[in-house]
Amino acid sequence: MTGVTSLSSVFLNVSIGRIIDEYGMEAIKNTISFINITQQQAKRLKEYLERYSSAKG
């Protein structure tokens, strides 16, 4: 994530959201890790995943 300044909803929906839709939340947890990520980006991802899970659950 070097050089990435923000994580827009559009990016998250068409990347992370699509993976969750096709493969499930466990796919994200078990196969994807982020490196060179800021605390703000980590917080944004965590909040996104929590909201996504709540909306789909």
Side-chain angles (χ1 to χ4, degrees):
M1 301 287 290
T2 302
V4 175
T5 57
S6 67
L7 299 173
S8 70
S9 293
V10 172
F11 167 76
L12 293 171
N13 289 334
V14 298
S15 60
I16 304 299
R18 186 165 180 183
I19 292 169
I20 295 169
D21 286 344
E22 290 188 27
Y23 303 102
M25 185 64 75
E26 289 303 309
I28 294 291
K29 293 178 181 178
N30 294 331
T31 60
I32 295 177
S33 62
F34 294 91
I35 57 172
N36 296 326
I37 191 169
T38 67
Q39 287 183 336
Q40 185 62 30
Q41 290 168 331
K43 181 180 175 185
R44 173 83 167 109
L45 280 167
K46 181 180 177 186
E47 290 171 352
Y48 176 82
L49 292 172
E50 288 171 353
R51 280 194 311 270
Y52 201 94
S53 291
S54 295
K56 296 291 179 174

